[in-house]
Amino acid sequence: MNPVIPIPRSLRLWGVVGAAVAALFAVWMFFFPSLVSSHFAWVVEPRLAQAFIGAGYLFRTAFFLQFVFARNWLHIRWTFWGNLAFTGTLLLATLWHADEMNWRFLVAHLWILFYTFEPITMIFSAPLDHESRTAHLSSGGPLRPWFRRFLILMVGVFFLFGAMLIINPAWLDLRWPWDLNEFDARIMAAWLLGWAVWAGTMAMARDWDEVRLAGALAILFGVAVSATLVAFRPEFDFARSPTRTYAGLALFFTLGMAFFTWRQERQRPARRSWRGPR
């Protein structure tokens, strides 16, 4: 019988607040570009940077909603370390470029407060006792070997580009689908470094059901980013090699995650007895 570790009420409230903030930012980035330039926490430009961040916050909305609706901490335990990497990168970027923030607007002050206290609240609200750290599910079956290899590849690629966006965005500017400025580059790095850690967490999972939601949210993030290639097609220059590479990687990791998720679901012990990887 699988262990059940309840999710604390404070963490559910954390999820409600986070989902509301993330949904607001997603709508803002997608549908109100002029207000992003004039009233957001900083000036996000060009439009494609807004589109990427908007896709990222669409994923973050669903990410937070897990904490509202999930019933077992073991189903969302995978979120912990990656979320610290994500929020830590955003806070680093904000402090690095504090002089570029729109401090005359309330949003900038709320932004830095939110990304200071969001990870702190998670640390002190999440169940981190010995049982919560060592308990494991056994209902989904182990990850398939090629899925694990795919996740390790994802860790490497996302970490490489995320680190480059932080350390040397000027060099990466010539190899990116749109013009980069240092602030936006370091903000966007949060999603890549977050997913580098989340993919690593998935790769080390003992049971598929412990990271099943992670697979679904990875597909959502990939679909959201890929959809920007269609919705904002006039803004992209598909004749440029960086644009084609960006589109290819987005589709590759989205379709790869969808394929391996499908394969994991087919091998579930509930459907047939586990006989080992083929």
Side-chain angles (χ1 to χ4, degrees):
M1 185 175 180
N2 282 318
V4 176
I5 298 175
I7 299 169
R9 183 175 299 180
S10 59
L11 202 56
R12 293 192 187 281
L13 178 60
W14 177 87
V16 170
V17 174
V21 172
L24 172 64
F25 288 165
V27 170
W28 202 338
M29 290 290 168
F30 280 137
F31 301 109
F32 301 98
S34 61
L35 292 179
V36 172
S37 299
S38 61
H39 289 79
F40 196 61
W42 76 96
V43 178
V44 183
E45 292 181 343
R47 186 73 175 109
L48 292 179
Q50 297 175 5
F52 180 90
I53 295 173
Y57 275 112
L58 182 64
F59 149 72
R60 287 290 287 178
T61 302
F63 175 90
F64 281 114
L65 288 176
Q66 295 177 105
F67 295 87
V68 181
F69 296 108
R71 291 293 176 265
N72 189 346
W73 167 250
L74 299 182
H75 289 147
I76 57 175
R77 182 174 56 185
W78 65 271
T79 60
F80 188 81
W81 293 109
N83 197 57
L84 293 184
F86 174 85
T87 52
T89 304
L90 282 186
L91 185 59
L92 172 67
T94 301
L95 296 176
W96 196 325
H97 297 275
D99 57 324
E100 299 175 45
M101 295 283 285
N102 287 329
W103 294 114
R104 64 186 182 278
F105 297 123
L106 179 63
V107 180
H109 298 272
L110 294 177
W111 172 277
I112 196 167
L113 286 173
F114 184 78
Y115 283 112
T116 298
F117 286 98
E118 185 212 310
I120 292 173
T121 303
M122 184 182 195
I123 290 171
F124 285 97
S125 298
L128 299 176
D129 55 84
H130 179 73
E131 180 185 2
S132 300
R133 288 184 285 106
T134 58
H136 291 282
L137 301 176
S138 58
S139 54
L143 267 65
R144 298 179 66 86
W146 277 105
F147 191 8
R148 198 178 302 276
R149 295 182 186 110
F150 172 80
L151 291 168
I152 293 171
L153 174 65
M154 189 173 172
V155 172
V157 172
F158 278 46
F159 176 79
L160 174 64
F161 280 97
M164 189 65 72
L165 284 168
I166 291 176
I167 297 169
N168 199 347
W171 181 85
L172 197 60
D173 182 35
L174 299 175
R175 298 155 181 86
W176 199 256
W178 60 84
D179 293 335
L180 285 175
N181 63 71
E182 293 188 354
F183 196 174
D184 288 346
R186 292 182 175 117
I187 289 290
M188 291 189 296
W191 279 272
L192 299 185
L193 293 179
W195 266 113
V197 177
W198 285 318
T201 303
M202 291 180 70
M204 293 186 288
R206 295 189 185 182
D207 187 84
W208 166 237
D209 277 349
E210 294 179 8
V211 292
R212 187 184 185 203
L213 285 172
L217 287 178
I219 295 170
L220 173 63
F221 180 51
V223 168
V225 171
S226 299
T228 64
L229 294 164
V230 178
F232 296 89
R233 194 181 191 288
E235 302 282 343
F236 283 100
D237 181 3
F238 284 94
R240 298 182 65 225
S241 177
T243 303
R244 295 194 298 271
T245 301
Y246 174 84
L249 287 174
L251 292 172
F252 171 76
F253 283 112
T254 303
L255 294 175
M257 187 65 72
F259 171 76
F260 284 115
T261 295
W262 170 71
R263 292 288 290 164
Q264 285 292 150
E265 287 298 307
R266 287 196 64 195
Q267 75 160 32
R268 292 183 66 83
R271 294 189 176 184
R272 64 179 182 181
S273 59
W274 172 248
R275 296 179 182 178
R278 290 186 172 89

